[in-house]
Amino acid sequence: MSQIQQTMNDNPAMTPTRLLTPAEAAEILVIPVSTLNAWRAQKIELPYVHIGRLFRYRPEDVAALIRRNTVRPE
């Protein structure tokens, strides 16, 4: 077992998750990708992962955004 695999096994918080592309995140949120781009430029709304030239979104962050913006009638 590699050092990386052992570290991930020892720390459940490091379990890899599939990251969403901007198109996938936008599809889930039913918004244009350009809105995600604007949010990212303004550093608002949705956390993102920046790897090299790529931007990705964690599914749990997308779900949290939906929860935060859910309006419940009284």
Side-chain angles (χ1 to χ4, degrees):
M1 183 178 302
S2 76
Q3 176 87 20
I4 294 172
Q5 289 171 326
Q6 184 61 46
T7 300
M8 292 176 77
N9 288 340
D10 293 344
N11 185 352
M14 291 187 66
T15 301
T17 184
R18 184 180 176 285
L19 299 173
L20 302 171
T21 65
E24 291 168 330
E27 183 177 347
I28 291 168
L29 295 169
V30 193
I31 61 172
V33 173
S34 61
T35 299
L36 286 178
N37 295 340
W39 289 352
R40 198 172 56 246
Q42 297 170 27
K43 295 184 177 10
I44 59 171
E45 291 296 340
L46 188 59
Y48 59 90
V49 178
H50 185 197
I51 304 170
R53 297 185 313 173
L54 302 176
F55 296 98
R56 295 293 185 260
Y57 297 90
R58 296 181 328 150
E60 56 268 27
D61 291 333
V62 174
L65 177 68
I66 292 169
R67 279 193 304 277
R68 282 194 313 269
N69 288 284
T70 297
V71 178
R72 302 199 188 283
E74 293 184 38

Coordinates of all heavy atoms in Angstrom, one line a residue:
M1 N 0.9 -1.2 0.0 CA 0.0 0.0 0.0 C 0.9 1.2 0.0 O 1.9 1.3 0.7 CB -0.9 0.0 1.2 CG -1.9 1.1 1.3 SD -3.0 1.1 2.7 CE -3.8 -0.4 2.6
S2 N 0.5 2.2 -0.8 CA 1.3 3.4 -0.9 C 1.1 4.3 0.3 O 0.2 4.2 1.0 CB 1.0 4.2 -2.2 OG -0.2 4.9 -2.0
Q3 N 2.0 5.2 0.5 CA 2.0 6.2 1.6 C 0.7 7.0 1.5 O 0.0 7.3 2.5 CB 3.2 7.1 1.5 CG 3.1 8.2 2.6 CD 3.7 7.8 3.9 OE1 4.5 6.8 3.9 NE2 3.4 8.5 4.9
I4 N 0.3 7.4 0.3 CA -0.9 8.2 0.1 C -2.1 7.4 0.4 O -3.0 7.9 1.1 CB -1.0 8.7 -1.4 CG1 0.1 9.7 -1.7 CG2 -2.4 9.3 -1.7 CD1 0.3 10.1 -3.1
Q5 N -2.2 6.1 0.0 CA -3.4 5.3 0.3 C -3.5 5.1 1.8 O -4.5 5.1 2.4 CB -3.3 3.9 -0.4 CG -3.5 4.0 -1.9 CD -3.1 2.7 -2.6 OE1 -2.2 2.0 -2.2 NE2 -3.9 2.4 -3.6
Q6 N -2.3 4.9 2.5 CA -2.3 4.6 3.9 C -2.8 5.9 4.6 O -3.6 5.8 5.6 CB -0.9 4.3 4.4 CG -0.9 4.0 5.9 CD -1.8 2.8 6.3 OE1 -1.8 1.7 5.6 NE2 -2.6 2.9 7.3
T7 N -2.3 7.1 4.2 CA -2.8 8.3 4.8 C -4.3 8.5 4.7 O -5.0 8.9 5.6 CB -2.0 9.5 4.2 OG1 -0.6 9.3 4.4 CG2 -2.4 10.8 4.8
M8 N -4.8 8.2 3.5 CA -6.2 8.4 3.2 C -7.0 7.4 4.0 O -8.1 7.7 4.6 CB -6.5 8.2 1.7 CG -5.9 9.4 0.9 SD -6.2 9.2 -0.8 CE -7.9 9.6 -1.0
N9 N -6.5 6.2 4.2 CA -7.2 5.2 5.0 C -7.2 5.6 6.5 O -8.2 5.3 7.2 CB -6.6 3.8 4.9 CG -6.9 3.2 3.5 OD1 -7.8 3.5 2.9 ND2 -6.0 2.2 3.2
D10 N -6.2 6.2 7.0 CA -6.1 6.6 8.4 C -6.9 7.9 8.7 O -7.2 8.2 9.8 CB -4.6 6.9 8.7 CG -3.7 5.7 8.7 OD1 -4.3 4.6 8.8 OD2 -2.5 5.8 8.7
N11 N -7.2 8.6 7.6 CA -8.0 9.9 7.8 C -9.2 9.9 6.9 O -9.1 10.2 5.8 CB -7.1 11.1 7.5 CG -7.8 12.4 7.8 OD1 -8.9 12.4 8.1 ND2 -7.0 13.5 7.7
P12 N -10.4 9.5 7.5 CA -11.6 9.5 6.6 C -12.0 10.8 5.9 O -12.6 10.8 4.9 CB -12.7 9.0 7.6 CG -12.0 8.5 8.8 CD -10.6 9.1 8.8
A13 N -11.5 11.9 6.5 CA -11.8 13.2 5.9 C -11.1 13.3 4.6 O -11.5 14.2 3.8 CB -11.4 14.3 6.8
M14 N -10.1 12.5 4.3 CA -9.4 12.6 3.1 C -9.9 11.6 2.0 O -9.3 11.4 1.0 CB -7.9 12.4 3.3 CG -7.2 13.5 4.1 SD -5.5 13.3 4.2 CE -5.0 13.5 2.5
T15 N -11.0 11.0 2.3 CA -11.6 10.1 1.3 C -11.9 10.9 0.0 O -12.5 11.9 0.0 CB -12.9 9.5 1.8 OG1 -12.6 8.8 3.0 CG2 -13.5 8.5 0.8
P16 N -11.4 10.4 -1.1 CA -11.6 11.2 -2.4 C -13.1 11.2 -2.8 O -13.8 10.2 -2.5 CB -10.8 10.4 -3.4 CG -10.6 9.1 -2.8 CD -10.7 9.2 -1.4
T17 N -13.5 12.3 -3.3 CA -14.8 12.4 -3.8 C -14.7 12.9 -5.2 O -13.8 13.6 -5.6 CB -15.7 13.4 -3.0 OG1 -17.0 13.4 -3.4 CG2 -15.1 14.8 -3.0
R18 N -15.7 12.5 -6.1 CA -15.7 13.0 -7.4 C -16.0 14.4 -7.5 O -17.1 14.8 -6.9 CB -16.7 12.2 -8.3 CG -16.6 12.5 -9.7 CD -17.6 11.7 -10.5 NE -17.6 12.1 -11.9 CZ -18.1 13.3 -12.3 NH1 -18.7 14.1 -11.5 NH2 -18.1 13.6 -13.6
L19 N -15.2 15.2 -8.1 CA -15.5 16.7 -8.2 C -16.3 16.9 -9.4 O -16.2 16.2 -10.4 CB -14.2 17.5 -8.3 CG -13.3 17.3 -7.0 CD1 -11.9 18.0 -7.3 CD2 -13.9 17.9 -5.8
L20 N -17.2 17.9 -9.3 CA -18.0 18.3 -10.5 C -17.4 19.3 -11.3 O -16.8 20.3 -10.9 CB -19.4 18.8 -9.9 CG -20.2 17.9 -9.0 CD1 -21.3 18.7 -8.4 CD2 -20.6 16.7 -9.7
T21 N -17.6 19.2 -12.6 CA -17.1 20.2 -13.6 C -18.1 21.4 -13.4 O -19.2 21.3 -12.9 CB -17.2 19.7 -15.0 OG1 -18.5 19.5 -15.4 CG2 -16.3 18.5 -15.2
P22 N -17.7 22.6 -13.9 CA -18.6 23.7 -13.9 C -19.9 23.4 -14.6 O -21.0 23.8 -14.1 CB -17.8 24.8 -14.6 CG -16.4 24.5 -14.3 CD -16.4 23.0 -14.3
A23 N -19.9 22.7 -15.7 CA -21.1 22.3 -16.5 C -22.0 21.4 -15.6 O -23.2 21.6 -15.6 CB -20.8 21.7 -17.8
E24 N -21.4 20.5 -14.9 CA -22.2 19.6 -14.1 C -22.8 20.3 -12.9 O -24.0 20.1 -12.6 CB -21.3 18.4 -13.6 CG -20.9 17.5 -14.6 CD -19.8 16.5 -14.2 OE1 -19.0 16.8 -13.3 OE2 -19.8 15.4 -14.8
A25 N -22.0 21.2 -12.2 CA -22.6 22.0 -11.1 C -23.7 22.9 -11.6 O -24.7 23.0 -10.9 CB -21.5 22.8 -10.5
A26 N -23.5 23.5 -12.7 CA -24.5 24.4 -13.3 C -25.8 23.7 -13.6 O -26.9 24.2 -13.4 CB -24.0 25.1 -14.5
E27 N -25.6 22.5 -14.1 CA -26.8 21.6 -14.5 C -27.6 21.3 -13.2 O -28.8 21.4 -13.2 CB -26.4 20.4 -15.2 CG -27.5 19.5 -15.6 CD -27.1 18.3 -16.4 OE1 -25.9 18.2 -16.8 OE2 -28.0 17.4 -16.6
I28 N -26.9 20.9 -12.1 CA -27.6 20.6 -10.9 C -28.3 21.8 -10.3 O -29.4 21.7 -9.9 CB -26.6 20.1 -9.9 CG1 -26.0 18.7 -10.3 CG2 -27.2 20.0 -8.5 CD1 -24.8 18.2 -9.5
L29 N -27.7 23.0 -10.4 CA -28.2 24.2 -9.9 C -29.2 24.9 -10.8 O -29.9 25.8 -10.4 CB -27.1 25.2 -9.5 CG -26.2 24.7 -8.4 CD1 -25.0 25.6 -8.3 CD2 -26.9 24.7 -7.1
V30 N -29.3 24.4 -12.0 CA -30.2 24.9 -13.1 C -29.9 26.4 -13.3 O -30.7 27.3 -13.2 CB -31.7 24.7 -12.8 CG1 -32.5 25.0 -14.0 CG2 -31.9 23.3 -12.3
I31 N -28.6 26.7 -13.5 CA -28.1 28.0 -13.8 C -27.1 27.9 -14.9 O -26.5 26.9 -15.1 CB -27.4 28.7 -12.5 CG1 -26.2 27.9 -12.1 CG2 -28.4 28.9 -11.4 CD1 -25.4 28.6 -11.0
P32 N -26.8 29.1 -15.6 CA -25.8 29.0 -16.6 C -24.4 28.9 -16.0 O -24.1 29.4 -14.9 CB -26.0 30.4 -17.3 CG -27.1 31.0 -16.8 CD -27.5 30.3 -15.5
V33 N -23.5 28.3 -16.8 CA -22.1 28.2 -16.4 C -21.5 29.7 -16.2 O -20.7 29.9 -15.3 CB -21.2 27.5 -17.4 CG1 -19.8 27.5 -17.0 CG2 -21.7 26.0 -17.4
S34 N -22.0 30.6 -16.9 CA -21.5 32.0 -16.8 C -21.8 32.5 -15.4 O -21.1 33.4 -14.9 CB -22.1 32.9 -17.9 OG -23.5 32.9 -17.8
T35 N -22.9 32.1 -14.8 CA -23.2 32.5 -13.4 C -22.2 32.0 -12.4 O -21.7 32.7 -11.6 CB -24.6 32.1 -13.0 OG1 -25.6 32.7 -13.9 CG2 -24.9 32.5 -11.6
L36 N -21.8 30.7 -12.6 CA -20.7 30.2 -11.8 C -19.4 30.9 -12.0 O -18.7 31.2 -11.0 CB -20.5 28.7 -12.1 CG -21.5 27.7 -11.6 CD1 -21.2 26.3 -12.1 CD2 -21.7 27.7 -10.1
N37 N -19.1 31.3 -13.2 CA -17.9 32.0 -13.5 C -17.9 33.4 -12.8 O -16.9 33.8 -12.3 CB -17.7 32.2 -15.0 CG -17.5 30.9 -15.8 OD1 -17.1 29.9 -15.2 ND2 -17.8 30.9 -17.1
A38 N -19.1 34.0 -12.9 CA -19.2 35.3 -12.2 C -19.1 35.2 -10.7 O -18.4 36.0 -10.0 CB -20.6 36.0 -12.6
W39 N -19.7 34.2 -10.1 CA -19.6 34.0 -8.7 C -18.1 33.7 -8.3 O -17.7 34.2 -7.3 CB -20.4 32.8 -8.2 CG -21.9 33.0 -8.2 CD1 -22.6 34.2 -8.4 CD2 -22.9 32.0 -8.0 NE1 -23.9 34.0 -8.4 CE2 -24.2 32.7 -8.1 CE3 -22.9 30.6 -7.8 CZ2 -25.4 32.0 -8.0 CZ3 -24.1 30.0 -7.6 CH2 -25.3 30.6 -7.7
R40 N -17.5 32.9 -9.1 CA -16.1 32.6 -8.8 C -15.2 33.9 -8.9 O -14.4 34.1 -8.0 CB -15.6 31.5 -9.8 CG -14.3 30.8 -9.4 CD -14.0 29.7 -10.3 NE -13.8 30.0 -11.7 CZ -14.6 29.6 -12.6 NH1 -15.6 28.8 -12.4 NH2 -14.4 30.0 -13.9
A41 N -15.4 34.7 -9.9 CA -14.7 35.9 -10.0 C -14.9 36.9 -8.9 O -14.0 37.6 -8.4 CB -15.0 36.6 -11.4
Q42 N -16.1 36.9 -8.4 CA -16.5 37.8 -7.2 C -16.3 37.1 -5.9 O -16.5 37.7 -4.8 CB -18.0 38.2 -7.4 CG -18.3 39.0 -8.6 CD -19.8 39.1 -8.8 OE1 -20.5 39.1 -7.9 NE2 -20.2 39.3 -10.1
K43 N -15.9 35.8 -5.9 CA -15.6 35.0 -4.7 C -16.9 35.0 -3.8 O -16.8 35.3 -2.6 CB -14.4 35.5 -4.0 CG -13.1 35.3 -4.7 CD -11.9 35.7 -3.9 CE -10.6 35.5 -4.6 NZ -10.4 35.2 -5.9
I44 N -18.0 34.7 -4.4 CA -19.2 34.6 -3.6 C -19.9 33.3 -3.9 O -19.6 32.6 -4.8 CB -20.2 35.8 -3.9 CG1 -20.6 35.8 -5.4 CG2 -19.6 37.1 -3.6 CD1 -21.7 36.7 -5.8
E45 N -20.9 33.0 -3.0 CA -21.8 31.9 -3.2 C -21.3 30.5 -3.0 O -21.6 29.8 -2.1 CB -22.6 31.9 -4.5 CG -23.6 33.1 -4.5 CD -24.7 33.0 -3.5 OE1 -25.0 31.9 -2.9 OE2 -25.3 34.0 -3.2
L46 N -20.4 30.0 -3.9 CA -20.0 28.6 -4.0 C -18.5 28.4 -3.9 O -17.8 28.9 -4.8 CB -20.6 28.0 -5.3 CG -20.5 26.5 -5.5 CD1 -21.3 25.8 -4.3 CD2 -21.2 26.2 -6.8
P47 N -18.1 27.7 -2.9 CA -16.6 27.4 -2.8 C -16.2 26.5 -4.1 O -17.1 25.8 -4.6 CB -16.5 26.6 -1.6 CG -17.7 26.8 -0.8 CD -18.8 27.2 -1.7
Y48 N -15.0 26.6 -4.5 CA -14.5 25.8 -5.6 C -13.1 25.3 -5.3 O -12.4 25.8 -4.5 CB -14.6 26.6 -6.9 CG -13.8 27.9 -6.9 CD1 -12.5 27.9 -7.3 CD2 -14.3 29.1 -6.5 CE1 -11.7 29.0 -7.3 CE2 -13.6 30.2 -6.5 CZ -12.3 30.2 -6.9 OH -11.5 31.3 -6.9
V49 N -12.7 24.3 -6.1 CA -11.4 23.8 -6.1 C -10.7 24.2 -7.4 O -11.2 24.1 -8.5 CB -11.4 22.2 -6.0 CG1 -10.0 21.7 -6.0 CG2 -12.2 21.8 -4.8
H50 N -9.5 24.8 -7.2 CA -8.7 25.3 -8.3 C -7.5 24.4 -8.5 O -6.6 24.4 -7.6 CB -8.3 26.7 -8.1 CG -7.7 27.4 -9.3 ND1 -7.0 28.5 -9.2 CD2 -7.6 27.0 -10.6 CE1 -6.5 28.9 -10.4 NE2 -6.8 27.9 -11.2
I51 N -7.4 23.6 -9.5 CA -6.2 22.7 -9.8 C -5.7 23.1 -11.1 O -6.3 22.8 -12.2 CB -6.7 21.3 -9.7 CG1 -7.3 20.9 -8.4 CG2 -5.5 20.4 -10.0 CD1 -8.0 19.6 -8.4
G52 N -4.5 23.7 -11.1 CA -3.9 24.1 -12.4 C -4.8 25.2 -13.1 O -5.2 26.2 -12.5
R53 N -5.3 24.8 -14.3 CA -6.2 25.7 -15.0 C -7.7 25.3 -14.8 O -8.5 25.9 -15.4 CB -5.9 25.8 -16.5 CG -4.5 26.3 -16.7 CD -4.2 26.5 -18.2 NE -4.6 25.3 -18.9 CZ -4.5 25.2 -20.3 NH1 -4.2 26.2 -21.0 NH2 -4.9 24.0 -20.8
L54 N -7.9 24.3 -14.0 CA -9.2 23.7 -13.9 C -9.9 24.2 -12.6 O -9.3 24.4 -11.6 CB -9.2 22.2 -13.9 CG -8.5 21.5 -15.1 CD1 -8.5 20.0 -14.8 CD2 -9.3 21.8 -16.3
F55 N -11.2 24.3 -12.7 CA -12.1 24.7 -11.6 C -13.1 23.5 -11.4 O -13.6 23.1 -12.4 CB -12.8 26.0 -11.8 CG -11.9 27.2 -11.9 CD1 -11.6 27.6 -13.2 CD2 -11.4 27.8 -10.8 CE1 -10.7 28.7 -13.3 CE2 -10.6 28.9 -10.9 CZ -10.2 29.3 -12.2
R56 N -13.2 23.1 -10.2 CA -14.1 22.0 -9.9 C -14.9 22.3 -8.6 O -14.5 23.2 -7.8 CB -13.4 20.7 -9.7 CG -12.7 20.2 -10.9 CD -13.7 19.8 -12.0 NE -13.0 19.2 -13.2 CZ -12.8 19.9 -14.3 NH1 -13.1 21.1 -14.4 NH2 -12.3 19.2 -15.3
Y57 N -16.0 21.7 -8.5 CA -16.9 21.9 -7.3 C -17.2 20.6 -6.6 O -17.4 19.6 -7.2 CB -18.2 22.5 -7.8 CG -18.0 23.8 -8.5 CD1 -17.8 23.9 -9.8 CD2 -18.0 25.0 -7.7 CE1 -17.6 25.2 -10.5 CE2 -17.8 26.2 -8.3 CZ -17.6 26.3 -9.7 OH -17.4 27.5 -10.3
R58 N -17.2 20.7 -5.3 CA -17.4 19.5 -4.4 C -19.0 19.3 -4.4 O -19.7 20.3 -4.1 CB -16.9 19.7 -3.0 CG -15.4 19.8 -3.0 CD -14.8 19.9 -1.6 NE -15.6 20.6 -0.7 CZ -15.7 20.4 0.6 NH1 -14.9 19.6 1.1 NH2 -16.5 21.2 1.3
P59 N -19.5 18.1 -4.6 CA -20.9 17.9 -4.5 C -21.5 18.4 -3.2 O -22.6 18.9 -3.2 CB -21.0 16.4 -4.7 CG -19.8 16.0 -5.4 CD -18.7 16.9 -4.9
E60 N -20.8 18.2 -2.1 CA -21.4 18.6 -0.8 C -21.5 20.1 -0.7 O -22.4 20.7 0.0 CB -20.6 18.1 0.4 CG -19.1 18.4 0.4 CD -18.2 17.4 -0.3 OE1 -18.7 16.6 -1.2 OE2 -17.0 17.3 0.1
D61 N -20.6 20.9 -1.4 CA -20.8 22.4 -1.4 C -22.0 22.8 -2.3 O -22.7 23.8 -1.9 CB -19.5 23.0 -2.0 CG -18.3 22.9 -1.0 OD1 -18.6 22.8 0.2 OD2 -17.2 22.9 -1.5
V62 N -22.2 22.1 -3.4 CA -23.4 22.4 -4.2 C -24.7 22.1 -3.4 O -25.6 22.9 -3.3 CB -23.4 21.6 -5.5 CG1 -24.7 21.7 -6.3 CG2 -22.2 22.0 -6.3
A63 N -24.7 20.9 -2.7 CA -25.8 20.6 -1.8 C -26.0 21.6 -0.7 O -27.2 22.0 -0.4 CB -25.7 19.2 -1.3
A64 N -24.9 22.1 -0.1 CA -25.0 23.1 1.0 C -25.6 24.4 0.4 O -26.4 25.1 1.1 CB -23.7 23.3 1.6
L65 N -25.2 24.8 -0.8 CA -25.8 26.0 -1.4 C -27.3 25.9 -1.6 O -28.0 26.8 -1.3 CB -25.1 26.3 -2.7 CG -25.6 27.5 -3.5 CD1 -25.3 28.8 -2.8 CD2 -25.1 27.5 -4.9
I66 N -27.7 24.7 -2.0 CA -29.2 24.5 -2.2 C -29.9 24.6 -0.8 O -30.9 25.2 -0.7 CB -29.4 23.1 -2.9 CG1 -28.9 23.2 -4.3 CG2 -30.9 22.8 -2.8 CD1 -28.9 21.8 -5.0
R67 N -29.3 23.9 0.2 CA -29.9 24.0 1.5 C -30.0 25.4 2.1 O -31.0 25.9 2.6 CB -29.1 23.1 2.5 CG -29.4 21.6 2.4 CD -28.9 20.9 3.6 NE -27.4 21.0 3.8 CZ -26.5 20.3 3.1 NH1 -26.9 19.4 2.2 NH2 -25.2 20.5 3.3
R68 N -28.9 26.2 1.9 CA -28.8 27.6 2.4 C -29.9 28.5 1.7 O -30.3 29.4 2.3 CB -27.4 28.2 2.2 CG -26.4 27.8 3.1 CD -25.1 28.7 3.0 NE -24.7 29.0 1.7 CZ -23.8 28.2 1.0 NH1 -23.2 27.2 1.6 NH2 -23.4 28.6 -0.2
N69 N -30.2 28.2 0.5 CA -31.1 29.0 -0.2 C -32.5 28.5 -0.3 O -33.3 29.0 -1.1 CB -30.5 29.3 -1.6 CG -29.3 30.2 -1.6 OD1 -29.5 31.4 -1.4 ND2 -28.1 29.6 -1.7
T70 N -32.8 27.4 0.4 CA -34.2 26.9 0.5 C -35.0 27.7 1.4 O -34.7 28.0 2.5 CB -34.1 25.4 1.0 OG1 -33.4 24.6 0.0 CG2 -35.5 24.8 1.0
V71 N -36.1 28.2 0.8 CA -37.1 29.0 1.6 C -38.2 28.1 2.0 O -38.8 27.5 1.2 CB -37.6 30.2 0.7 CG1 -38.6 31.0 1.5 CG2 -36.4 31.0 0.2
R72 N -38.5 28.1 3.3 CA -39.5 27.3 3.8 C -40.7 28.2 4.3 O -40.5 29.1 5.2 CB -39.0 26.5 5.0 CG -37.9 25.6 4.6 CD -37.7 24.5 5.6 NE -36.5 23.8 5.4 CZ -36.3 22.9 4.4 NH1 -37.3 22.6 3.6 NH2 -35.2 22.2 4.3
P73 N -41.9 28.1 3.7 CA -43.0 28.9 4.1 C -43.4 28.6 5.5 O -43.3 27.5 6.0 CB -44.1 28.5 3.1 CG -43.5 27.7 2.1 CD -42.2 27.2 2.6
E74 N -43.8 29.7 6.2 CA -44.2 29.5 7.6 C -45.6 29.1 7.7 O -46.5 29.2 7.0 CB -44.0 30.8 8.3 CG -42.6 31.1 8.4 CD -42.3 32.4 9.3 OE1 -43.1 32.6 10.2 OE2 -41.4 33.1 8.9

